[in-house]
Amino acid sequence: QVQPVESGEKLVQAGGSLRLSCAGSGRIFSNYGLGWFRQAPGKEPEFVAAIGWSGGIDIYADSVKGRFTISRDNAKNTMHLQMNALRSEDTAVYYCVMERRPFTTGSRSADDYDAWGQGTQVTVSS
């Protein structure tokens, strides 16, 4: 399982930055690829970013590439999403996720993840 380190809605102005963090438990954290998805009201979950089990490979949605950075700290069983230059269209509930199978390089498909965190509301005001 992965769960947000901090609960509660995150409010930020357009152009600002925000860092989301999740902590893992119940599995050998370092063996699994991790990702972030987001879901805006009335829309399907959307892939944001993923990082492989070793941290050597990371992939991003085109909409966030160059603005967001995914990272992991296997020693602390934590994962992070650094979000810069935020836009109003980034407003969504953000979910940290862990892959079903170990030793993968990260995936854009929600079906490849079976451990979804609680979700954190991120609201970007323009």
Side-chain angles (χ1 to χ4, degrees):
Q1 299 293 328
V2 282
Q3 292 294 342
V5 171
E6 299 180 350
S7 60
E9 182 176 3
K10 309 299 181 184
L11 303 173
V12 62
Q13 290 188 331
S17 297
L18 192 63
R19 190 191 197 209
L20 301 180
S21 297
C22 285
S25 64
R27 292 179 183 174
I28 302 176
F29 183 84
S30 58
N31 287 354
Y32 290 83
L34 305 169
W36 291 90
F37 282 73
R38 67 186 182 186
Q39 187 170 21
K43 295 187 176 181
E44 293 293 314
E46 174 192 20
F47 168 76
V48 176
I51 187 167
W53 69 279
S54 66
I57 297 175
D58 51 356
I59 54 176
Y60 297 91
D62 288 344
S63 58
V64 307
K65 195 175 296 182
R67 299 188 297 123
F68 291 13
T69 302
I70 186 173
S71 62
R72 63 188 298 161
D73 185 339
N74 286 339
K76 297 182 179 179
N77 284 7
T78 55
M79 60 185 293
H80 311 283
L81 185 68
Q82 178 67 42
M83 303 185 290
N84 298 329
L86 283 160
R87 307 166 180 168
S88 57
E89 53 264 39
D90 295 319
T91 295
V93 177
Y94 283 73
Y95 296 92
C96 50
V97 294
M98 180 182 286
E99 288 209 60
R100 298 178 183 276
R101 297 175 293 119
F103 308 119
T104 55
T105 55
S107 171
R108 298 175 182 270
S109 173
D111 291 341
D112 288 332
Y113 299 91
D114 66 346
W116 289 66
Q118 187 173 356
T120 299
Q121 174 68 51
V122 173
T123 301
V124 183
S125 61
S126 57

